[in-house]
Amino acid sequence: MSSPHRQLSQLLSLWRWKRKVDVSLYPAPGFHFHRVFCATTSSETDPIEIHKKKLFLWFSHLPQEERQFGGYFSPETMHVDPLIVEKKPEERAGLVSSPFQTQAISSPSVTVEQLFESTGNCCEGRGLNVLLYGAVGTGKSTVVRKLVLDWCSGTTLTHFKLLVPFSCEDLSQLSKVASLRDMVGRKYLHLTKHPLLSGEGDQAKNVLFLFNGMEKMNLDFRIGSSELCSDPNEALPPGVVVVNLLRKYLLPEASILVTTRLSALDRIPQKYVSRYAQIFGFNDPDRQRAYFTSRLLQQSGETAPYQEAQALVELLYLNLQRESQLAAACFLPSYCWLTCATLHFLHFTDAKAPIRTLTGIYTSFLRLNFGGEVLGTGTGTNVPIQEQQSSLMLYVVRTVGKLAFDGVAYKRTSFSEKELEQWIGGKTKTDEELRQLAMFQTDVLDFFLVPCVESGKHLPKELSESDERQYVFSVPEMQEYLAALYVVLGENKSALEKLTGQVSVAIGQASEDVGALFNILSKFIPLRIFAVFNLIKLFPKLYEKISTYNKGSIARTMAAELFRTEDSNNEDVLDQVEQTLLGVHGPQPKQYSEGKPFELYPIFMGGLLHYGNRVLLQQLGCTIQSTTVAQITRALRKYLVRELSKPQPPEELMDLLVLLYEFQNPRLTAEVIATIRAIPLSNIRMTPLKCFILSSVLSCTPASYHLERLDLSSCLLTNDMLQILWPAFRHTRNLKLCDNPLQDSGVRTLLEALPENQSLTHLSLMHTGLGDQAALELAGKLQQHTGLQELNVAYNNIRDNAALALVDACREHPSIHTLHLYLNPLSDVGKKSLYVRGVPKSQDGSGRKVRVLASVTEGSDISEDWHPILRVIRENASSWDRQRVKQQLKIFLRDLEWGRQQQQSLWKRLHFRRVEKGVRKTLQMLEKDAPYTG
C-alpha cells in the first residue's frame, strides 16, 4: 500500500469511532478527492489540527454517483481550475450570452487565494468579504471543496489559522436561535469555545468563514429586521448572525467567502462586499481536454485499456476544437462530468461492477446539480422559508420539460427566442410567479438551453436560413430525458384529466353535505357543465378509468416511438449517444430534413420507472407513484408483445434490449423475451456494454427458455466480450458468430462456455480466425454437445490434419450431419481425404455419413452443396478479404476443369460448365467490386 493511502487508512480508522457530522455542502459533479495532508509536529490534541483532519475526511467523501464511475482521485491529478474573473461592482451583473465569448475576456483568471490578498482601499483592521458567484453547474462547490482540502494540506490560504465552512442550506433549516460560537460548536464540536472566535483583540483576523449557497438564505440587512450584534455569544436567528458577520459588526477582523447563484447576487448590499468574482467554468477546449484527460485516463486504471482511453480523449478533443455543440455544453464543468460518466458507461462496462444504466446516469447528474435546490420567493417576506420554496427540479420539468416534450412530439431540436418565452414564461399572473421566472431564467435556463452553434443541423430549411437565434439543449439526450420525465410524471394531462383530477380531490375532501359539496365544486368549473360533477358523483371510478387510460397511452407512446418504421435505418441508440460525444468521423450521415429521430425518449421513459431512479427523483421533488408504474408496466407488456410479433431490424431489436435493461424489471423482461424466438443482431457494432445488456436481459428468463437463433455475425466480438456473453450462450439452439475476429483465444473462451448449453444444434464459426490448434480442441469437445447437428468452420486457417480430426470427431458424434470446411487452406489430397472420411466405413450403410463441404467438387463429381457454398461467398464477399476469396474461387475453377475432363457423359460436362459459369460470375463480381445481381 502506498504511503498516502496508508495514512488515509489510519485516519479513517481513527475517525470511525467518533461522532459523524454531516456537512451538507452538496458536491459538484466532477471533482472529488482523496488526499492526505502533510503531517505536522503539533500535538494531536490541538483543536486546529483535529479540525483539519476532520474537514479533510468530510470533504474527501465521494458520493455514490461518483464512486460508481471509478476509483479514488487526488487534487493533484484531477482538479482543473475553472475560469474565475474578478469583477468591478458596476460590472457584476454582466452575463455572457455564449460560452465561446468568454475566450475574448481580457481580464486574467484569478484564484480564490488571490482574492484574499490585501488591497489598498480596504479598511484597516477589517477582513475581506469576497462574493464568488456563477450560474448552476459552473463549479462553485467544486472550488469550495478544493479550497478546503488545500487549506487542510497547508498549500493555500496559510495565513488563515482557522477555516470554518458552513452550508447555507443547513443554516436555513435551523429554527432555534443560537450564537455564533454555538453555531460553530454545533457543526465542529472540537472548536467549541475556541479563542479565535471569542472576539477578544484581533484574533479573528486569522479566521476565514465560508458560506456556500447563500441563495438558500433570505438575508435581510434592514436594521428593523436584523438587529445589530457584536457578541459572538449572543443567541440570535442564524440569518441575523450571518448578516452581522457580513456587516463587519460581529468579528470585523474575520474574512468571509460567500458563494451564490447569479439571481441572488444583490441580496448582499454592495457596501458589504470587498470583492466580486464570477466563475465561468471551462471557457476553452484546453481546459476541457485537461479534465477529460485526467479523469478518463486515470479511470482506465487496471480495468480498461489505456490505449482506448487515450483514443477517446483524442476524439473528444477533436470534437471540442470544432466548436461543436458539445464544446458549448462542456463550458459547464457539470457537463464534462456527464460526458465522462457516459463514456465510462459506454466503453468501460465491467460485468462485476454494480448495475449502471443511462437513465440512472442522467438522474444522478440532475440530483448532483439540483439536489436540495429550491426556487425561492426572494427577499422581503415574513413567510417561513420552508413555505416560500418549491422544488427547482419540478419547476424545470413543468417548463423546460414541457418544451422538450413539444420538440419530441414534432421532431424538433431547435427553438427560437419567442418559443422559449412562450414555453418557459407561460401565462404568469402574480408578482411572485414573475419573480420565480426571473430567478429561473437567470440561474438555470442556460444550464439546459444554449445558443445553437451547429446551425442548420436537423433544421427545416426555412428555420436554418432564418436570422433569428436558435437555441438547443446542451446535449441532445437531455431533451429526450426531460421529455420522458414530463410524460412519466403525468404533466401532459389533457384538460379533462386535469378537471377530473381536481374534482376527485374535492369530493374526497368534502363532507356529505350537499351545500358544502356544491360550494367546493363551483370553484373549479362554471355551473353550465355541472352535469360532469353529477356523473363523477354517481360513478366514483370515472376518474380512475380516465387515469388508467392515460397510463395506457404512455405505454402506447413508448412502444410506438421504439418501433417507428421511419427510424429503422438509424444506428442503435448507444451508437447515437457515442457519436454525440465523439463526433462523426469520415463520411457524414444523411441529414433528415424532417427532424432527427428520438429513439432514446421511450428508453428513458422505461428507465424512469425503475425504483432506484424514482427514489432519486423523489429527493428532487418529482414523485412517480407506484400505481402509475404498475399501470404503465401492464400496458407496456401488452404493446411490446404485439410489436415483437413483427420482424424487427437488428438496430431496433438492440434498442428493445436497451429498453428492457434500463427498465430493470426482471418479470416484465422475462415475459417480453418469452415471445422472442430469434435475436438477429448481425452487423451491430457490439461493445462490452451491449454484450452485458444482452446477457443481463436473457438472464431474466427461466432455465427452460431457449432461443431458436442468436445471430452475432459481423459484430466485432472480442475474447473479452465472449466472456461477458456466457449467460447468453446458454439459451440458444442456433449460434452464429461468423465474421468476428475471435482467433484461437476467443474460440477457447467460447468452448469453456458452451458445455453449459445442452440444446445447441447449429454452431457457425465461419471466418473467425480459427487455427489448427483451436480446431483440434474443438474436435475434442464435440462429444459434450450431444444435440449438435451442424458445424460451420469455413473460411478459417484450418489445414489438412486438423480438418481430418474434425471430420473424424463429427463422424463419431451421434447427431452431427454437416461440416463446413470450404475456403480453408486445404490441399487437393486433403480435400479428397475429407470426402472419403465422411463416407461410412461399413458397406451395409449402417455407419453415419457426414456431409463435408470443402469444395464445389468431390473428387471427379460436382458437390451436391456447390450452390450453398457459392451463395455464402456472394453474401459475404463485401466484408471478406477479396484477394483470398478470389484465390479460392480460382482453385474451384481448376478443380471444376479437371473434373469436367474426367467425365464421359455430355450431361455431366454441361453440369460442370454451369457450375463454372456461376463461379466465374462470382469472380468477376469481386474483381469489379460490384454487388452480385443474379
Side-chain angles (χ1 to χ4, degrees):
M1 184 182 292
S2 63
S3 177
H5 284 86
R6 186 180 298 109
Q7 295 178 39
L8 179 58
S9 178
Q10 294 170 351
L11 289 173
L12 290 171
S13 299
L14 173 66
W15 180 235
R16 282 193 183 102
W17 61 273
K18 291 184 177 292
R19 179 173 66 92
K20 293 183 179 179
V21 180
D22 179 20
V23 181
S24 299
L25 284 171
Y26 277 86
F31 302 100
H32 305 284
F33 314 104
H34 270 257
R35 185 174 75 170
V36 176
F37 42 84
C38 300
T40 64
T41 58
S42 304
S43 169
E44 292 186 1
T45 59
D46 183 356
I48 299 295
E49 294 304 316
I50 295 174
H51 182 61
K52 287 183 177 181
K53 292 176 181 178
K54 292 184 177 181
L55 273 187
F56 177 83
L57 290 175
W58 295 332
F59 279 79
S60 297
H61 176 70
L62 288 172
Q64 181 180 358
E65 289 84 357
E66 187 65 67
R67 288 196 298 268
Q68 64 180 331
F69 297 115
Y72 297 97
F73 312 114
S74 64
E76 291 88 352
T77 59
M78 289 303 301
H79 184 72
V80 177
D81 290 320
L83 176 66
I84 302 176
V85 176
E86 185 173 3
K87 293 277 190 164
K88 297 178 181 178
E90 60 272 16
E91 300 174 336
R92 67 188 186 278
L95 302 178
V96 177
S97 58
S98 170
F100 299 115
Q101 290 184 13
T102 59
Q103 300 179 22
I105 294 178
S106 57
S107 304
S109 180
V110 299
T111 64
V112 177
E113 186 174 25
Q114 290 172 331
L115 294 173
F116 283 98
E117 292 176 353
S118 177
T119 57
N121 57 356
C122 65
C123 299
E124 186 66 28
R126 289 193 175 186
L128 296 176
N129 289 350
V130 175
L131 184 57
L132 178 65
Y133 62 97
V136 173
T138 49
K140 299 184 296 297
S141 294
T142 294
V143 170
V144 165
R145 176 179 293 272
K146 180 66 162 54
L147 177 71
V148 172
L149 291 172
D150 283 352
W151 178 80
C152 292
S153 62
T155 58
T156 192
L157 296 174
T158 54
H159 57 287
F160 291 115
K161 294 181 180 179
L162 179 61
L163 173 62
V164 185
F166 279 104
S167 163
C168 291
E169 182 181 7
D170 280 358
L171 295 179
S172 69
Q173 302 300 321
L174 295 180
S175 57
K176 296 181 180 179
V177 296
S179 67
L180 173 62
R181 302 193 76 173
D182 288 339
M183 287 167 52
V184 174
R186 180 178 178 274
K187 286 291 182 186
Y188 310 104
L189 183 63
H190 43 278
L191 295 180
T192 303
K193 306 301 180 183
H194 196 281
L196 288 178
L197 302 172
S198 65
E200 298 178 1
D202 62 351
Q203 294 185 86
K205 68 181 181 181
N206 297 314
V207 178
L208 172 62
F209 289 100
L210 196 163
F211 295 100
N212 190 44
M214 184 62 76
E215 69 278 355
K216 295 184 176 68
M217 297 183 70
N218 283 338
L219 300 182
D220 193 340
F221 284 81
R222 295 174 298 179
I223 296 295
S225 301
S226 55
E227 59 184 284
L228 297 176
C229 172
S230 61
D231 184 2
N233 297 298
E234 183 177 351
L236 293 168
V240 176
V241 173
V242 175
V243 164
N244 278 285
L245 281 172
L246 291 168
R247 282 174 174 160
K248 296 303 179 187
Y249 203 78
L250 177 61
L251 299 186
E253 301 85 7
S255 294
I256 302 173
L257 174 63
V258 175
T259 69
T260 190
R261 295 201 303 236
L262 287 167
S263 64
L265 185 60
D266 291 329
R267 292 190 187 177
I268 302 177
Q270 179 182 329
K271 63 180 179 180
Y272 298 132
V273 179
S274 308
R275 282 183 168 178
Y276 290 94
Q278 185 170 1
I279 182 168
F280 288 101
F282 297 153
N283 66 308
D284 59 74
D286 290 331
R287 290 181 194 260
Q288 297 164 356
R289 183 183 188 181
Y291 180 92
F292 294 131
T293 299
S294 61
R295 177 164 286 267
L296 286 175
L297 293 186
Q298 185 160 336
Q299 282 194 168
S300 65
E302 300 176 357
T303 60
Y306 186 80
Q307 293 78 6
E308 183 179 357
Q310 282 185 314
L312 288 178
V313 171
E314 291 303 319
L315 291 174
L316 270 172
Y317 187 57
L318 288 174
N319 203 17
L320 296 172
Q321 283 183 312
R322 289 196 289 259
E323 289 195 356
S324 63
Q325 205 63 55
L326 176 67
C330 289
F331 166 72
L332 298 178
S334 294
Y335 278 101
C336 290
W337 181 91
L338 180 62
T339 298
C340 287
T342 305
L343 284 175
H344 190 275
F345 170 73
L346 292 174
H347 285 269
F348 304 133
T349 296
D350 185 355
K352 299 178 182 178
I355 292 291
R356 296 191 297 268
T357 64
L358 191 62
T359 313
I361 290 174
Y362 273 77
T363 307
S364 299
F365 170 72
L366 293 175
R367 195 194 76 86
L368 283 171
N369 284 279
F370 296 98
E373 296 287 351
V374 293
L375 199 63
T377 61
T379 58
T381 177
N382 295 323
V383 180
I385 192 165
Q386 291 84 354
E387 299 179 15
Q388 300 172 23
Q389 300 170 330
S390 59
S391 165
L392 180 56
M393 192 62 224
L394 190 56
Y395 192 91
V396 168
V397 174
R398 290 172 175 171
T399 53
V400 183
K402 186 178 182 181
L403 175 73
F405 174 74
D406 182 72
V408 169
Y410 294 98
K411 299 180 75 73
R412 294 182 53 205
T413 59
S414 181
F415 309 91
S416 66
E417 294 185 25
K418 291 181 180 179
E419 289 173 320
L420 291 187
E421 182 179 352
Q422 172 190 352
W423 286 104
I424 307 300
K427 296 181 180 180
T428 53
K429 298 178 180 179
T430 67
D431 290 341
E432 182 53 42
E433 288 175 330
L434 291 172
R435 279 196 296 267
Q436 287 188 336
L437 177 61
M439 295 167 64
F440 178 78
Q441 290 177 327
T442 302
D443 293 335
V444 182
L445 189 57
D446 289 343
F447 183 85
F448 292 102
L449 290 155
V450 296
C452 180
V453 297
E454 297 176 340
S455 59
K457 186 176 182 180
H458 294 310
L459 289 178
K461 185 176 181 181
E462 60 272 13
L463 279 180
S464 62
E465 294 177 353
S466 172
D467 293 332
E468 187 176 4
R469 168 169 284 183
Q470 298 290 315
Y471 289 83
V472 296
F473 281 82
S474 299
V475 293
E477 293 77 17
M478 184 58 73
Q479 178 179 355
E480 299 186 64
Y481 179 92
L482 290 177
L485 185 56
Y486 179 78
V487 172
V488 173
L489 283 175
E491 292 296 327
N492 63 327
K493 293 184 176 75
S494 66
L496 180 59
E497 290 168 330
K498 293 178 181 178
L499 172 65
T500 52
Q502 292 174 331
V503 173
S504 178
V505 173
I507 291 178
Q509 295 176 348
S511 66
E512 296 181 358
D513 180 70
V514 178
L517 181 62
F518 178 85
N519 290 333
I520 291 176
L521 296 181
S522 62
K523 296 179 181 179
F524 293 104
I525 64 169
L527 292 176
R528 64 179 180 273
I529 53 173
F530 191 78
V532 173
F533 297 98
N534 289 330
L535 286 175
I536 295 175
K537 183 180 178 182
L538 292 174
F539 304 101
K541 293 188 176 181
L542 177 59
Y543 172 67
E544 181 181 348
K545 289 182 179 179
I546 294 175
S547 177
T548 303
Y549 178 81
N550 180 51
K551 307 307 183 297
S553 67
I554 293 176
R556 286 194 299 274
T557 299
M558 292 172 66
E561 289 291 337
L562 191 66
F563 299 109
R564 292 177 69 100
T565 55
E566 63 268 31
D567 296 340
S568 60
N569 294 324
N570 294 306
E571 295 179 276
D572 64 80
V573 293
L574 296 180
D575 280 353
Q576 293 178 39
V577 171
E578 182 180 275
Q579 289 178 6
T580 299
L581 301 179
L582 302 181
V584 179
H585 302 273
Q588 295 292 314
K590 178 183 176 181
Q591 301 296 328
Y592 296 94
S593 60
E594 67 270 17
K596 73 178 291 290
F598 290 99
E599 296 177 317
L600 261 178
Y601 167 57
I603 291 174
F604 275 142
M605 278 196 281
L608 288 169
L609 299 179
H610 174 49
Y611 177 76
N613 289 321
R614 288 191 286 131
V615 169
L616 294 180
L617 288 169
Q618 191 164 11
Q619 297 174 12
L620 292 170
C622 301
T623 302
I624 302 174
Q625 301 294 339
S626 297
T627 54
T628 300
V629 176
Q631 291 171 343
I632 295 177
T633 302
R634 284 196 298 269
L636 180 62
R637 181 188 300 109
K638 179 176 65 175
Y639 290 108
L640 285 181
V641 169
R642 186 183 68 185
E643 290 293 338
L644 288 173
S645 63
K646 312 168 189 174
Q648 301 295 336
E651 294 79 11
E652 301 296 306
L653 200 54
M654 189 70 233
D655 290 349
L656 169 69
L657 296 174
V658 175
L659 168 67
L660 295 174
Y661 173 77
E662 293 281 326
F663 211 133
Q664 289 294 305
N665 185 324
R667 182 176 177 181
L668 171 70
T669 299
E671 292 178 355
V672 172
I673 293 296
T675 64
I676 299 177
R677 290 302 170 191
I679 298 183
L681 296 176
S682 59
N683 294 304
I684 292 292
R685 186 183 65 94
M686 293 299 283
T687 63
L689 173 61
K690 295 177 186 177
C691 293
F692 182 69
I693 287 174
L694 175 59
S695 290
S696 298
V697 168
L698 289 177
S699 295
C700 296
T701 58
S704 59
Y705 170 77
H706 291 96
L707 278 171
E708 292 299 329
R709 179 168 58 94
L710 175 60
D711 188 353
L712 295 172
S713 304
S714 304
C715 290
L716 300 178
L717 294 176
T718 63
N719 188 20
D720 293 338
M721 294 182 197
L722 286 180
Q723 293 179 352
I724 300 175
L725 284 169
W726 275 18
F729 294 153
R730 291 197 294 264
H731 294 272
T732 185
R733 291 190 172 92
N734 186 336
L735 178 57
K736 298 186 66 175
L737 298 172
C738 313
D739 301 311
N740 286 297
L742 302 182
Q743 307 298 323
D744 282 3
S745 60
V747 174
R748 291 192 187 97
T749 300
L750 178 66
L751 293 177
E752 293 176 16
L754 286 182
E756 299 185 29
N757 184 341
Q758 294 302 312
S759 62
L760 189 66
T761 59
H762 294 75
L763 175 63
S764 179
L765 297 173
M766 181 174 62
H767 193 211
T768 55
L770 183 66
D772 287 345
Q773 187 59 40
L776 291 172
E777 294 180 24
L778 176 60
K781 293 188 177 182
L782 285 181
Q783 295 298 327
Q784 297 178 359
H785 302 282
T786 57
L788 191 61
Q789 299 174 13
E790 186 172 354
L791 176 64
N792 188 340
V793 289
Y795 193 5
N796 280 298
N797 301 312
I798 303 174
R799 301 185 184 276
D800 292 354
N801 291 336
L804 289 170
L806 270 174
V807 173
D808 290 341
C810 291
R811 191 179 58 200
E812 296 170 4
H813 193 277
S815 58
I816 293 180
H817 55 68
T818 304
L819 174 64
H820 299 254
L821 279 168
Y822 45 89
L823 297 185
N824 276 292
L826 303 171
S827 66
D828 292 340
V829 175
K831 283 185 282 189
K832 294 176 183 177
S833 300
L834 292 175
Y835 173 69
V836 173
R837 291 285 184 96
V839 178
K841 295 181 178 179
S842 59
Q843 298 298 322
D844 59 2
S846 59
R848 292 185 61 255
K849 179 179 179 179
V850 176
R851 295 169 59 201
V852 180
L853 281 62
S855 177
V856 293
T857 60
E858 292 177 354
S860 60
D861 291 326
I862 295 286
S863 170
E864 60 183 8
D865 298 300
W866 70 270
H867 193 273
I869 291 175
L870 288 183
R871 186 186 69 247
V872 170
I873 293 175
R874 291 164 184 162
E875 290 174 351
N876 296 276
S878 61
S879 59
W880 285 355
D881 181 353
R882 288 177 176 266
Q883 284 301 119
R884 178 171 173 177
V885 175
K886 286 191 289 185
Q887 181 183 1
Q888 289 293 323
L889 289 175
K890 290 176 182 178
I891 293 175
F892 287 172
L893 287 175
R894 186 193 65 192
D895 293 344
L896 288 168
E897 184 178 358
W898 179 84
R900 176 166 46 83
Q901 293 173 356
Q902 309 303 313
Q903 300 299 327
Q904 300 298 322
S905 168
L906 176 61
W907 182 87
K908 286 189 176 182
R909 288 201 300 269
L910 291 175
H911 187 39
F912 269 88
R913 292 282 190 187
R914 177 175 170 235
V915 178
E916 283 184 53
K917 183 178 179 181
V919 175
R920 291 186 188 281
K921 191 169 185 179
T922 304
L923 186 59
Q924 292 173 358
M925 174 196 72
L926 291 172
E927 290 175 343
K928 294 180 179 179
D929 196 21
Y932 181 74
T933 57

